[in-house]
Amino acid sequence: MTASTEALPVVVIGAGPIGLAAAAQLIERNLRPLVLEAGPAAAAAVRQWSHVRLFSTWSELVDPAAEKLLAPTGWVTPDGATYPSGGDWAERYLQPLADALGDRVRYGATVTGVSRAGRDRIVDADREAQPFTVHLTTADGSQARILARAIIDASGTWSTPSPIGSDGLPALGERTAADRIAYRIPDLTDPAVRARYAGKRTAVIGSGASAFTALAHLADLAQAEDGTGTHATWVLRRGISGSTFGGGSADQLPARGALGLAAKAAVDDGHADAVTGFRTDTVERAGDGRLILVADDGRRLDAVDEVVVLTGLRPDLSFLSELRLGLDERLQAPVALAPLIDPNQHSCGTVYPHGVNELSHPEKDVYLVGMKSYGRAPTFLAMTGYEQVRSIAAHLAGDQEAAERVELTLPETGVCGGAGLFDQPVAEEAGGGGCCAAPATLTIGAPATSGGGC
């Protein structure tokens, strides 16, 4: 890398929790960040689930370098023992952090491509000496190009939810039934959304934390005055085991344990029915407009008014196609990281913090961080992402010793994370047990997770 290239900014894609933390870590290392955010404000994706509460407390959601950057602004640290909603996180921490970064954050900037200047992915000659070129579209539709010394992609996976089809592709009829299918946890505090689900039958597809949340919310609606007749059909792709609802009272993330038990209560109390081993092949439209789900073995479910698909998320790699990425063929995570997070091999408690070594690619100085670094793996904690970008910033500053030093101790639950119920009491802290331990109170089992949750 030439001296002129070193003077260029490190481009960070995405002004979410990990992207903004990356910028703060770079500043602490006297490096120059430029954060490109497609939305009109910081944490655009987080704001879309503003009604959902996180599993993590405030003490686990604030990056140390970011806190130092915020201190001179008069920012008041939230109570570290409390659980924020997505809206709280965005308004009380992420937007103030973006404001503190000032013109280092550029809004309305959608990255459409990243490459090496004058080199497509085929060309070897003098490749690493060239800066990166970042192509983007601005809010007014115009195009621009920025040169960068390094790329930190913290764009997440929120924009690309997985479809209904059990083969990873949309089920037949899924696209034409889009008017009755949602891929997010419904915000039942919104009157229009509430009216959409009140008194209706809804199929919830998925086996992770998001599905738990949707089931619990729909159960609450069923018990409300305006929700008479509300019922959920919980569609699970796998069979039943003892860990359907997570660790319950044995979960060291108590908010997540409470969430699983709330979902269990929805089934036990008759507000939801569970259908197991159901791999959706086709979505049919009934004569009255409702939807009928058909499995690959020919089973048909009773017609439902709405379908909520919560089968996981996946990374959008399209704008990185000219870069030489080393990704695991299954998870679409960096090759060195994938074995550490593979849900087929690891429980949550066996994953340890990681940094620049596990996140490097054949293309030097390109890093996928945060949720995007996990590819299709379903579990992640914000503080794991903060450790990722701390290590990367140290490496880019030439401090390899700090880059390789682990400065984070995770709870026994490892990297499990996600979103939980909002406005519900926090479960009492329980001693012992990891996130994958089944609570003794379970009377039915559930599938090993096919997406989301541990």
Side-chain angles (χ1 to χ4, degrees):
M1 184 177 293
T2 65
S4 59
T5 299
E6 289 183 350
L8 295 172
V10 176
V11 165
V12 179
I13 304 173
I18 311 306
L20 294 173
Q25 293 284 351
L26 291 166
I27 290 172
E28 191 168 73
R29 288 284 181 172
N30 296 314
L31 298 174
R32 178 185 165 205
L34 176 60
V35 182
L36 302 177
E37 167 57 47
V46 174
R47 293 174 191 274
Q48 292 186 45
W49 48 271
S50 61
H51 57 296
V52 179
R53 191 180 69 177
L54 285 93
F55 295 146
S56 302
T57 61
W58 271 115
S59 64
E60 299 166 332
L61 294 171
V62 176
D63 175 71
E67 190 167 13
K68 292 177 186 175
L69 196 65
L70 282 165
T73 70
W75 179 72
V76 178
T77 306
D79 180 353
T82 60
Y83 295 85
S85 67
D88 295 333
W89 203 18
E91 292 299 331
R92 298 179 60 190
Y93 168 61
L94 297 171
Q95 190 61 58
L97 176 54
D99 293 343
L101 288 165
D103 60 8
R104 300 180 184 94
V105 180
R106 187 178 301 183
Y107 300 111
T110 301
V111 174
T112 57
V114 183
S115 187
R116 290 280 187 179
R119 309 286 188 276
D120 63 21
R121 67 182 296 156
I122 299 174
V123 179
D124 292 332
D126 204 28
R127 186 178 187 85
E128 290 189 0
Q130 306 307 313
F132 293 96
T133 177
V134 181
H135 292 232
L136 57 93
T137 301
T138 61
D140 63 5
S142 60
Q143 298 178 339
R145 186 167 53 214
I146 295 170
L147 296 179
R149 63 166 291 186
I151 303 294
I152 298 177
D153 182 358
S155 58
T157 56
W158 179 257
S159 64
T160 46
S162 297
I164 293 176
S166 59
D167 57 4
L169 300 173
L172 294 179
E174 180 173 348
R175 291 192 176 98
T176 57
D179 60 316
R180 289 179 180 257
I181 300 176
Y183 298 85
R184 313 295 186 201
I185 300 168
D187 180 4
L188 299 182
T189 65
D190 181 316
V193 176
R194 192 175 182 87
R196 176 175 175 173
Y197 294 94
K200 307 291 180 61
R201 296 186 67 88
T202 299
V204 176
I205 304 175
S207 59
S210 294
F212 291 173
T213 305
L215 289 168
H217 284 180
L218 289 169
D220 286 344
L221 177 59
Q223 298 172 75
E225 290 185 6
D226 61 341
T228 302
T230 303
H231 191 83
T233 299
W234 185 19
V235 181
L236 300 158
R237 290 175 177 171
R238 301 188 185 183
I240 288 180
S241 74
S243 59
T244 303
F245 301 101
S249 60
D251 195 326
Q252 287 196 1
L253 291 178
R256 186 183 57 215
L259 171 61
L261 294 177
K264 179 181 182 299
V267 175
D268 289 347
D269 295 343
H271 302 304
D273 299 319
V275 179
T276 61
F278 193 97
R279 297 178 177 273
T280 307
D281 177 78
T282 305
V283 180
E284 296 181 355
R285 181 87 67 168
D288 59 4
R290 294 190 298 167
L291 302 181
I292 299 170
L293 303 181
V294 183
D296 56 7
D297 61 4
R299 281 186 294 163
R300 303 167 65 87
L301 298 185
D302 292 340
V304 295
D305 300 283
E306 302 288 342
V307 177
V308 176
V309 184
L310 300 167
T311 52
L313 303 165
R314 53 185 62 177
D316 176 9
L317 301 168
S318 61
F319 59 88
L320 304 175
S321 62
E322 290 305 314
L323 298 177
R324 298 175 177 181
L325 301 181
L327 298 174
D328 178 76
E329 66 273 12
R330 291 176 301 160
L331 296 183
Q332 295 179 297
V335 169
L337 177 60
L340 309 180
I341 61 173
D342 185 352
N344 294 304
Q345 302 294 329
H346 287 274
S347 67
C348 310
T350 62
V351 182
Y352 59 86
H354 50 273
V356 67
N357 291 338
E358 293 84 358
L359 297 168
S360 293
H361 293 273
E363 192 80 69
K364 187 175 182 292
D365 291 337
V366 172
Y367 305 99
L368 277 57
V369 301
M371 285 294 298
K372 191 160 187 176
S373 72
Y374 272 45
R376 299 194 185 197
T379 54
F380 187 79
L381 274 184
M383 57 183 177
T384 301
Y386 297 158
E387 173 70 359
Q388 289 179 339
V389 296
R390 182 206 62 77
S391 174
I392 290 168
H395 170 74
L396 291 174
D399 188 351
Q400 194 63 21
E401 187 277 329
E404 296 183 359
R405 183 176 63 240
V406 174
E407 295 188 2
L408 171 65
T409 301
L410 289 170
E412 184 177 343
T413 43
V415 297
C416 292
L421 294 175
F422 182 53
D423 282 344
Q424 295 292 331
V426 178
E428 292 183 1
E429 193 80 46
C435 67
C436 299
T441 54
L442 285 184
T443 56
I444 66 172
T449 56
S450 60
C454 179

